[in-house]
């Protein structure tokens, strides 16, 4: 059976969050280890799915944000600090304070702004010290911590490596909005809509189109193929995601 579904950006974020939770390594870490869910709008959905909480202002779960056609900083008055989750329970610990305690088996979840067909992801940073990924990447690589990047296909670019090389050739002189740099996240496990569906169901998935209007900007159209019962199960669950509210920025 083959079926087509179209997901808005917010619906994709919800699906990606569910797929992230479904990864065996995440399930293991929820039971035995620590997970840091760093900032990002998609990560707000991940935190909700992981903890059963509701983050009303998801724009408050990120620092950098692209909105109104500009690169900016979230000015939300309802900031939610990144979660440190130890054996499935959220702890009242600042993530930077816990960072040096990370060890093998723990997971660091970070959002991104670009991904390409090879699975290489990157994140924009305006902080001169590299922001979240600048603080975490050394420990992640040195200690073998799994880095997971939940990211929608709407953020697909032709070539992340070339983009990073282009950005590092010289400094940015002008920008509409904030000036940013671009940091690659080599070795990260990228979770897109495709990964999510293929993790949650025994299906094969391909993105066949993208875009739309009147609230469907950033949407993706996916073809799902597999045994009837698996495709039907996927369609049923996707139908329950339809109507996921857009993230609004005050």
């Amino acid at each position: 059976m083959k079926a087509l579904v179209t997901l808005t950006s917010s619906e994709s974020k919800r699906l990606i969050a569910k797929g992230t939770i479904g990864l065996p390594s995440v399930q293991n870490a929820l039971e035995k280890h620590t997970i840091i869910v760093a900032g990002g709008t998609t990560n707000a959905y991940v935190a909700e799915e992981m903890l059963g909480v509701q983050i009303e202002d998801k724009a408050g779960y990120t620092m950098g944000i692209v909105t109104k056609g500009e690169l900016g900083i979230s000015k939300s008055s309802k900031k939610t600090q990144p979660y440190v989750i130890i054996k499935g329970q959220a702890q009242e610990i600042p993530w930077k304070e816990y960072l040096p305690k990370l060890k093998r088996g723990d997971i660091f979840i970070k959002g991104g702004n670009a991904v390409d067909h090879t699975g290489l992801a990157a994140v924009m940073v305006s902080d001169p010290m590299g922001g979240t990924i600048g603080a975490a990447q050394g420990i992640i690589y040195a200690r073998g911590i799994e880095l997971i990047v939940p990211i929608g296909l709407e953020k697909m670019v032709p070539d992340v490596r070339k983009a990073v090389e282009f950005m590092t050739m010289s400094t940015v002189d002008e920008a509409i909005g904030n000036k940013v740099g671009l940091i690659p996240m080599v070795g990260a496990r990228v979770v897109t809509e495709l990964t999510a569906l293929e993790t949650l169901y025994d299906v094969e998935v391909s993105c066949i189109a993208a875009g739309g209007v009147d609230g469907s900007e950033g949407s993706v159209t996916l073809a799902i193929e597999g045994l009837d019962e698996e495709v039907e199960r996927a369609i049923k669950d996707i139908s329950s995601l339809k109507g996921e509210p857009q993230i609004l920025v005050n």
Side-chain angles (χ1 to χ4, degrees), residues 16-96:
I16 290 166
K18 291 179 180 295
T20 300
I21 308 306
L23 293 172
S25 62
V26 172
Q27 288 293 311
N28 181 60
L30 281 171
E31 181 181 351
K32 302 176 182 178
H33 299 285
T34 298
I35 300 174
I36 294 178
V37 185
T41 54
T42 303
N43 277 7
Y45 290 84
V46 173
E48 285 187 333
E49 293 292 328
M50 199 170 281
L51 296 170
V53 298
Q54 183 174 0
I55 300 173
E56 291 184 10
D57 186 359
K58 293 179 176 61
Y61 199 80
T62 186
M63 184 60 72
I65 194 166
V66 180
T67 184
K68 298 180 174 63
E70 294 185 3
L71 304 173
I73 300 295
S74 173
K75 296 180 175 62
S76 171
S77 60
K78 298 179 181 178
K79 287 285 187 180
T80 302
Q81 296 304 310
Y83 284 100
V84 176
I85 303 167
I86 301 177
K87 295 183 179 179
Q89 301 297 316
Q91 307 295 316
E92 294 292 331
I93 306 171
W95 73 271
K96 285 187 178 179

Side-chain angles (χ1 to χ4, degrees), residues 36-249:
I36 294 178
V37 185
T41 54
T42 303
N43 277 7
Y45 290 84
V46 173
E48 285 187 333
E49 293 292 328
M50 199 170 281
L51 296 170
V53 298
Q54 183 174 0
I55 300 173
E56 291 184 10
D57 186 359
K58 293 179 176 61
Y61 199 80
T62 186
M63 184 60 72
I65 194 166
V66 180
T67 184
K68 298 180 174 63
E70 294 185 3
L71 304 173
I73 300 295
S74 173
K75 296 180 175 62
S76 171
S77 60
K78 298 179 181 178
K79 287 285 187 180
T80 302
Q81 296 304 310
Y83 284 100
V84 176
I85 303 167
I86 301 177
K87 295 183 179 179
Q89 301 297 316
Q91 307 295 316
E92 294 292 331
I93 306 171
W95 73 271
K96 285 187 178 179
E97 184 178 310
Y98 192 88
L99 193 61
K101 301 177 184 178
L102 287 177
K103 57 185 183 298
R104 187 83 178 193
D106 295 337
I107 291 175
F108 195 90
I109 301 179
K110 178 72 184 84
N113 299 102
V115 64
D116 64 22
H117 71 284
T118 71
L120 179 59
V123 60
M124 294 189 293
V125 293
S126 59
D127 182 348
M129 296 301 291
T132 298
I133 198 63
Q137 211 163 33
I139 289 175
I140 288 170
Y141 289 145
R143 300 185 184 178
I145 308 302
E146 183 175 9
L147 173 60
I148 296 177
V149 178
I151 187 169
L153 292 169
E154 64 168 327
K155 295 179 179 178
M156 182 161 281
V157 302
D159 191 319
V160 167
R161 179 177 174 176
K162 284 187 177 180
V164 171
E165 291 174 347
F166 186 83
M167 288 296 290
T168 55
M169 287 172 61
S170 60
T171 57
V172 174
D173 298 305
E174 296 289 343
I176 297 178
N178 284 35
K179 296 178 184 179
V180 302
L182 191 64
I183 297 180
M185 294 181 281
V186 179
R189 177 182 293 199
V190 168
V191 181
T192 67
E193 295 90 336
L194 309 183
T195 318
L197 287 168
E198 292 179 353
T199 297
L200 297 170
Y201 312 97
D202 185 15
V203 295
E204 293 184 8
V205 190
S206 180
C207 181
I208 66 163
V213 298
D214 194 22
S216 288
E217 296 86 351
S219 67
V220 293
T221 298
L222 310 175
I224 306 172
E225 187 170 28
L227 296 175
D228 290 11
E229 56 268 29
E230 283 297 294
V231 175
E232 288 170 355
R233 188 164 67 91
I235 293 296
K236 180 180 179 181
D237 290 345
I238 290 169
S239 296
S240 71
L241 307 179
K242 301 302 291 181
E244 180 74 38
Q246 290 183 315
I247 296 176
L248 300 178
V249 179

